[in-house]
Amino acid sequence: MDYKAAIRTAVEQVRSEGRYRVFADLKRQRGSFPRATWTGPYGERDVVVWCSNDYLGQGQNPVVIEAMHAAIDEAGSGSGGTRNISGTTRYHVELEQELADWHGKEAALLFTSGFVSNEATLSSLVKILPGLIIFSDALNHASMIAGIRNGGGQKHVFRHNDLEHLEQLLKAAPADAPKLVAFESVYSMDGDISDIRGTVELAKRYGALTYIDEVHAVGMYGQRGAGVAERDGVMAEIDIIEGTLGKAVGMMGGYIAGDADLVDAVRLYASGFIFTTSLPPAITAGAAASIRWLKAHNEVRVRHQERAATLKRRFARAGLPVMPSVSHIAPVLVGDPVHTKLVSDMLLHDFGVYVQPINYPTVPKGTERLRFTPTPLHTDAMMDDLIAAMDSLWTRCNVKRMGGVAA
């Protein structure tokens, strides 16, 4: 077999569909987020980042950076190995205590990423609870899908945010079988939010555990920033809360929080935890400092919501096809992968606006979009520049506007 030719064919297939991904070479500017320096074909230029998942700019918070420097000075760089052998440090223990407190749970467990925490936990729960049936929202993240699939147990997919369909599936399942409902709070591509209270009540009615992915909500919702479940007053009713340190916390890593026995069982069964080198001290110390800061500064969440609402309102006023969203995410529909990439490239090259195209398989074909994530640090002037650039390109690129098609 000509392996090289086969590999090139696979790449060209993606390129021919207009969804070939190109990484922008960016260097964030400490102290001036969301500004960054982009290295392009004609050298360097300053750009404004509009698609970062560092939703609150915590990666630039002096308190976080100081904690990271202190940890390096005290402990050096690496963790030393896996948690089971030599990679548990005092920094890991303190961060897990902060996470458990954040979510009002008995215990928490760190992983190297949000993807790993989902995959490892969901796949191991089938081993811990033989015969477990998992009910999964149709728009759950790829990491959740991978964990459910890799667990090898029985699964049912319910229509997105459709509690009637979920109840039909739960009702049809054996009453005495162990069950788990897996869903997200904020769905990051559309910006919609699940009915957490309704989902939890339904799960309890049919004897099912609940597993919620709050990765796009931790830090940004609730009085202390623990997520939408905290905001809605149902955090205590959820059995397993999964989150990330790589978005609003401004670091990297993932975690689960829940009952001490359940967390301990995952620690003992999850291969993605057991066989992975643990996060280094600088990361865990920085994350703990970030979380402590977020617990005490609700004003940053108030500002964040205002900025998101303002941007969505301004998109709509300009006739740009901003998709309905009740969260901090502002997706603008383009509907074609080639046009989406074209607009993204022109925004970067011509206007110094960085926003990545979102194409299949991240979103369904025909729903390609630009996904904007305004932060508390995006100014009105930055929004003025963005709206002017978008207004210009929607005409030049002949993409659809709300209520019609550009000339």
Side-chain angles (χ1 to χ4, degrees):
M1 180 178 179
D2 188 340
Y3 292 104
K4 285 190 175 182
I7 292 167
R8 281 196 300 269
T9 298
V11 173
E12 288 305 316
Q13 174 66 31
V14 174
R15 196 188 302 273
S16 69
E17 295 174 4
R19 56 187 184 91
Y20 183 80
R21 296 169 189 250
V22 177
F23 296 149
D25 184 349
L26 294 173
K27 181 170 61 179
R28 300 210 298 179
Q29 300 171 1
R30 179 180 173 182
S32 61
F33 182 79
R35 298 191 182 278
T37 302
W38 170 58
T39 301
Y42 306 110
E44 293 186 345
R45 72 168 295 175
D46 285 349
V47 300
V48 176
V49 178
W50 279 99
C51 57
S52 176
N53 282 346
D54 186 358
Y55 291 127
L56 303 177
Q58 284 293 92
Q60 303 290 310
N61 189 327
V63 171
V64 176
I65 295 171
E66 182 180 342
M68 296 180 73
H69 279 299
I72 292 173
D73 292 340
E74 292 170 0
S77 60
S79 65
T82 66
R83 293 284 297 275
N84 288 319
I85 297 175
S86 56
T88 293
T89 72
R90 184 64 202 167
Y91 301 99
H92 293 84
V93 174
E94 290 176 352
L95 176 53
E96 286 173 341
Q97 291 172 346
E98 287 287 350
L99 290 166
D101 171 77
W102 207 15
H103 294 289
K105 300 298 183 185
E106 293 179 347
L109 186 67
L110 281 171
F111 296 84
T112 51
S113 74
F115 191 106
V116 174
S117 56
N118 268 332
E119 193 284 328
T121 302
L122 287 166
S123 61
S124 64
L125 285 173
V126 179
K127 305 171 192 173
I128 297 166
L129 300 168
L132 178 68
I133 304 172
I134 299 180
F135 301 82
S136 174
D137 188 285
L139 292 189
N140 277 344
H141 190 264
S143 57
M144 300 175 75
I145 295 169
I148 294 167
R149 181 185 297 122
N150 294 342
Q154 187 177 348
K155 66 179 184 298
H156 297 286
V157 178
F158 59 94
R159 290 186 294 271
H160 177 53
N161 280 347
D162 188 336
L163 296 189
E164 287 187 14
H165 188 214
L166 173 60
E167 182 166 21
Q168 292 171 11
L169 296 173
L170 286 167
K171 188 180 295 186
D176 58 349
K179 307 174 189 70
L180 180 139
V181 177
F183 63 112
E184 300 183 37
S185 57
V186 177
Y187 286 85
S188 65
M189 290 301 122
D190 292 333
D192 57 332
I193 296 178
S194 61
D195 179 356
I196 300 176
R197 185 179 300 277
T199 303
V200 170
E201 290 175 353
L202 192 57
K204 286 182 179 296
R205 191 181 311 157
Y206 289 91
L209 297 172
T210 45
Y211 181 105
I212 189 169
D213 176 315
E214 287 252 47
V215 298
H216 291 278
V218 289
M220 294 170 285
Y221 296 87
Q223 184 63 33
R224 295 205 309 161
V228 179
E230 183 200 11
R231 183 198 71 178
D232 293 353
V234 293
M235 192 164 60
E237 304 300 314
I238 297 170
D239 296 293
I240 307 171
I241 296 174
E242 186 269 346
T244 184
L245 307 174
K247 294 181 171 60
V249 177
M251 301 300 299
M252 69 170 291
Y255 65 90
I256 59 167
D259 174 84
D261 288 337
L262 188 151
V263 170
D264 198 34
V266 173
R267 180 181 70 88
L268 297 172
Y269 278 82
S271 295
F273 172 83
I274 296 169
F275 299 106
T276 302
T277 299
S278 66
L279 294 167
I283 298 295
T284 48
S290 179
I291 291 167
R292 283 193 291 270
W293 190 93
L294 288 169
K295 289 176 181 177
H297 289 83
N298 188 52
E299 74 278 0
V300 74
R301 287 180 281 279
V302 174
R303 168 72 174 174
H304 185 221
Q305 290 296 316
E306 181 276 322
R307 293 284 79 191
T310 297
L311 181 62
K312 287 183 284 187
R313 185 170 61 251
R314 294 196 60 178
F315 276 151
R317 188 185 304 152
L320 297 164
V322 58
M323 301 169 68
S325 165
V326 294
S327 70
H328 57 282
I329 295 164
V332 175
L333 180 67
V334 181
D336 176 87
V338 175
H339 273 159
T340 308
K341 180 69 167 60
L342 177 63
V343 173
S344 172
D345 287 347
M346 294 178 76
L347 283 169
L348 182 60
H349 287 259
D350 299 347
F351 298 95
V353 169
Y354 174 60
V355 58
Q356 274 284 34
I358 306 296
N359 294 326
Y360 176 85
T362 306
V363 295
K365 291 180 179 180
T367 68
E368 292 83 3
R369 67 200 65 175
L370 300 171
R371 176 183 176 272
F372 293 87
T373 54
T375 73
L377 302 172
H378 281 91
T379 65
D380 286 339
M382 291 176 181
M383 289 190 187
D384 291 340
D385 293 341
L386 172 63
I387 298 298
M390 292 281 283
D391 186 63
S392 170
L393 291 184
W394 240 247
T395 298
R396 289 165 62 187
C397 298
N398 194 34
V399 288
K400 291 181 180 178
R401 288 182 180 272
M402 295 172 67
V405 176

